[in-house]
């Protein structure tokens, strides 16, 4: 069961592994010097040990034909160090995935409006009018729930639309009170 990973433990993967009930139980048993997995089936024990090994929490120690497991001494310290070196996203990027899709809508209205304005300026040019179908295709790059995003854009007066919803455009400052 030797580890393939010679890199610094990834904090997210480490926490995800510990979110697994069986892996957490096996980790606890190893950390207190007990025999891991005494209450698990051999298959579940093997999966839990493989998961803990894969994320860099435990390592296999073979002595005189006996296989034992131990906690990697610096796994948590190294995982924490990897977190501090990564810059935290700021601005609109806080609410986007690494692919630039909306991860979640901000609770604060000011932040939500910034995210919506950011999307709007990427799907429409200033004087451009597009049909709903075209707008939907463009918005799909940013979300799986296109109707909700489109509604947010209109309700926030960032975009305007015809009364029948057949065409959409960026709202101008003087258009913010009406013209929907």
């Amino acid at each position: 069961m030797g580890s393939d990973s010679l890199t610094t433990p990834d904090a997210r993967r480490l926490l995800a592994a510990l979110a697994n009930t069986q892996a957490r139980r096996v980790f606890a048993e190893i950390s207190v010097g007990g025999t891991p997995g005494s209450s698990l089936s051999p298959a579940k024990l093997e999966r839990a040990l493989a998961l803990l090994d894969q994320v860099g929490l435990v390592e296999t120690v073979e002595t005189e034909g006996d296989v034992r497991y131990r906690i990697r001494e610096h796994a948590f310290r190294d995982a924490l160090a990897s977190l501090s070196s990564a810059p935290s996203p700021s601005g609109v990027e806080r609410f986007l995935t690494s692919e630039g899709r909306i991860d979640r809508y901000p609770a604060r209205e000011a932040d939500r409006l910034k995210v919506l304005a950011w999307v709007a300026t990427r799907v429409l040019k200033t004087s451009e009018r597009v049909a709903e179908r075209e707008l939907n295709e463009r918005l799909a790059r940013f979300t799986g729930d296109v109707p909700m995003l489109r509604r947010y854009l209109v309700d926030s007066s960032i975009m305007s639309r015809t009364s029948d919803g057949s065409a959409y455009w960026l709202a101008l400052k003087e258009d913010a009170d009406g013209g929907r």
Side-chain angles (χ1 to χ4, degrees), residues 81-170:
S82 74
L83 285 177
S84 64
S85 65
S88 297
S90 61
V92 170
E93 288 77 26
R94 293 176 298 162
F95 308 104
L96 304 175
T97 66
S98 59
E99 294 82 32
R101 292 175 60 84
I102 297 171
D103 179 42
R104 66 194 183 286
Y105 290 96
R108 286 187 47 226
E109 183 180 10
D111 288 335
R112 189 170 45 255
L113 290 173
K114 286 178 185 175
V115 169
L116 294 172
W118 181 86
V119 169
T121 60
R122 278 152 182 79
V123 297
L124 287 174
K125 294 179 184 139
T126 303
S127 59
E128 183 179 27
R129 286 176 78 111
V130 297
E132 183 177 30
R133 176 181 283 172
E134 175 68 19
L135 178 64
N136 289 346
E137 289 173 8
R138 294 178 186 187
L139 292 176
R141 294 187 327 223
F142 299 98
T143 185
D145 192 347
V146 170
M148 182 172 71
L149 176 55
R150 190 180 62 236
R151 173 56 45 206
Y152 282 166
L153 288 164
V154 171
D155 287 350
S156 65
S157 299
I158 292 172
M159 276 189 190
S160 294
R161 67 181 182 98
T162 58
S163 58
D164 66 357
S166 62
Y168 292 80
W169 61 93
L170 287 176

